[in-house]
Amino acid sequence: MKGRYTHMKITDARVVVTAPGRNFVTLIIETEDGMVGVGDATLNGRELSVASYLRDHVVPLLLGRDARRIEDTWNYLYKGAYWRRGAVAMTAIAAVDMALWDIKGKVAGLPVYELLGGASRDAVLVYGHASGHTLDDLDASVQMFLNKGYKAVRVQASVPGLEHTYGIGSPAVAAYEPANGSMPEDDVWDTALYLDFAPQLIEHVREQFGHGFHLLHDVHHRLTPNEAGRLGARLEPYRMWWMEDPTPAEDQSAFRLIRSQTTTPIAVGEVFNSIWDCQQLITERLIDYIRASVTHAGGITHLRRIFFLAELYGVRTGSHGATDLSPISLSAALHLDLTVANFGIQEYMPHLSPADEVFRTTYELRDGYLHPGHAPGLGVEFDEAAAEKYPYAPRYLPVNRLVDGTVHDW
Ligand code: EZ4
Ligand code: CO
């Protein structure tokens, strides 16, 4: 059969680590006929491990391969490594996958969503991140999102008695960046304080702003199943869109216990990297939304499988979209979100300046909905010269400790 079909050889693949506002890892693939595709390989706080996985072990295998064979390349990198799954490997494979979809779209002259079956909706519902150190600050933040036309808002506020609370941004910018330290900083966590405060927070927001928008909250993996069940039951009157990551995500059967105690919808999966991480959660209908991302769950090719599995069981999508996923990742997510039948919602935090100098995007926000735009491929141009101006420096996420010093889930 050799020689019967034309090829489109990969002639170059390179990894760029740059920090326009925060660290990002980008894979660039070029073909013999000058097509360029880009993929996001950013793994927050562990960036260089993916850069090395790609540079040292993947790029040499890509050179000379046919750029058109996305599915084959995915399986070659996944099964060919022998060692399965894992955040580093799956992020590296995801970057290759995104870049190849980008190239396929550019060759076809079509946006990637057209190659995935075409749009199932006009645009993608997103939720914004409102937060505040006080409930007054939070009110101002929520109001700002509602004024901008957002239909869904995540709310986080500082827990009284704790020095640092996850997810609080500065009022001026509608985003936060938890990976700040050149070493991981220690935060102190107290479940009792949080469980007292969280229902007051949600009740406050509904009292102030009513039920005319979707309300979300991220628990960030800190409770036991029983605590999460109790919180979910307390929150039922406020009709949340979801309660996110109530317990550490890798313990799938824990969600059975949460489910048995509350009808508050549950979302989980931002730390997942494969379909196997969410198989039980989906097939046993233990969650309502699956939050795996294009970058950390093996790219468009693999995340699409997760979404199709979820569709069979009535689970909807709600992909992770924090700013530690690059604009390439967000764009890839939007293309996929636009097509799948069981789309739910997309997390959206605008990237902080100067990210837009390095990543030129075509997605557009209107009335609380994002559209990926109509450019061929993923619609993101990566400016390598601009990237050089922003060198990498180590940044770590915090670590949580209980008051007695025990390491807890962050
Ligand atoms: O803490 O992406 O829902 N969003 C989140 C994020 C995560 C960061 C970790 O890198 O939970 O803010
Ligand atoms: Co989260």
Side-chain angles (χ1 to χ4, degrees):
M1 297 288 278
K2 273 225 157 76
R4 270 186 63 183
Y5 301 97
T6 56
H7 283 255
M8 189 203 279
K9 262 195 204 134
I10 295 174
T11 48
D12 189 32
R14 55 193 181 276
V15 179
V16 176
V17 185
T18 177
R22 68 167 331 288
N23 291 319
F24 294 112
V25 180
T26 304
L27 174 70
I28 302 152
I29 294 181
E30 279 184 26
T31 69
E32 57 187 328
D33 44 0
M35 293 312 249
V36 179
V38 291
D40 177 35
T42 308
L43 185 61
N44 200 3
R46 296 293 186 270
E47 292 87 357
L48 299 187
S49 59
V50 187
S52 160
Y53 193 101
L54 284 166
R55 280 180 184 139
D56 298 330
H57 303 293
V58 172
V59 167
L61 313 184
L62 291 178
L63 300 178
R65 287 186 69 82
D66 188 344
R68 300 173 313 169
R69 298 181 62 162
I70 297 177
E71 184 73 21
D72 180 66
T73 299
W74 197 96
N75 283 291
Y76 182 80
L77 294 176
Y78 181 80
K79 296 178 182 171
Y82 185 63
W83 312 106
R84 301 297 166 101
R85 305 152 66 179
V88 175
M90 295 301 276
T91 301
I93 295 173
V96 175
D97 188 75
M98 268 177 262
L100 295 183
W101 277 106
D102 192 22
I103 288 172
K104 195 175 281 299
K106 287 172 179 166
V107 169
L110 293 170
V112 166
Y113 70 80
E114 292 291 3
L115 306 179
L116 298 174
S120 290
R121 53 195 55 79
D122 298 334
V124 169
L125 176 70
V126 299
Y127 68 91
H129 280 219
S131 69
H133 287 298
T134 64
L135 292 181
D136 281 350
D137 289 353
L138 174 64
D139 289 349
S141 178
V142 171
Q143 190 61 59
M144 189 199 75
F145 282 100
L146 297 178
N147 291 348
K148 285 184 177 167
Y150 278 77
K151 308 288 182 279
V153 183
R154 182 187 104 153
V155 295
Q156 311 289 135
S158 294
V159 177
L162 294 184
E163 199 177 326
H164 292 287
T165 301
Y166 158 79
I168 314 298
S170 75
V173 291
Y176 62 91
E177 174 48 68
N180 281 317
S182 55
M183 287 289 286
E185 94 186 8
D186 277 1
D187 286 351
V188 176
W189 174 253
D190 187 322
T191 297
L193 292 179
Y194 171 75
L195 282 179
D196 279 346
F197 177 65
Q200 296 173 37
L201 157 71
I202 301 302
E203 180 181 34
H204 170 86
V205 173
R206 280 303 194 206
E207 272 177 2
Q208 293 293 311
F209 297 98
H211 280 77
F213 64 103
H214 303 303
L215 185 55
L216 300 83
H217 176 68
D218 192 348
V219 182
H220 223 270
H221 305 122
R222 286 150 194 219
L223 302 179
T224 65
N226 196 41
E227 288 162 352
R230 191 150 45 95
L231 175 60
R234 264 298 258 116
L235 298 181
E236 280 167 22
Y238 313 113
R239 301 200 300 276
M240 308 284 295
W241 174 279
W242 76 35
M243 171 173 77
E244 176 178 336
D245 290 344
T247 55
E250 64 269 42
D251 183 359
Q252 296 187 43
S253 63
F255 287 75
R256 212 180 284 136
L257 195 54
I258 305 173
R259 247 324 186 223
S260 71
Q261 297 183 50
T262 182
T263 57
T264 292
I266 301 165
V268 75
E270 65 183 49
V271 298
F272 290 168
N273 53 69
S274 91
I275 199 164
W276 308 103
D277 295 329
C278 41
Q279 183 183 24
Q280 183 184 8
L281 288 170
I282 291 172
T283 60
E284 294 185 19
R285 304 172 196 270
L286 303 180
I287 56 172
D288 300 273
Y289 297 91
I290 183 68
R291 277 182 53 69
S293 70
V294 175
T295 295
H296 298 143
I300 290 171
T301 297
H302 193 66
L303 188 60
R304 189 158 65 137
R305 281 197 168 78
I306 295 177
F307 286 180
F308 287 167
L309 177 69
E311 184 188 354
L312 289 182
Y313 294 93
V315 173
R316 294 198 287 161
T317 73
S319 279
H320 190 209
T323 42
D324 50 288
L325 297 152
S326 91
I328 301 168
S329 180
L330 177 63
S331 188
L334 295 175
H335 283 274
L336 186 52
D337 290 342
L338 200 63
T339 66
V340 292
N342 57 327
F343 170 73
I345 201 165
Q346 171 68 48
E347 182 177 18
Y348 174 52
M349 269 206 272
H351 290 90
L352 297 179
S353 171
D356 56 353
E357 190 191 330
V358 176
F359 300 91
R360 305 232 177 78
T361 60
T362 52
Y363 45 75
E364 258 181 70
L365 179 71
R366 202 180 304 156
D367 288 332
Y369 288 83
L370 270 172
H371 192 283
H374 307 284
L378 292 176
V380 183
E381 242 181 80
F382 182 73
D383 185 331
E384 286 185 73
E388 271 180 32
K389 295 197 284 181
Y390 304 104
Y392 164 85
R395 287 284 178 270
Y396 288 96
L397 290 168
V399 171
N400 252 347
R401 290 184 186 276
L402 304 180
V403 282
D404 70 358
T406 307
V407 173
H408 191 66
D409 302 271
W410 179 76

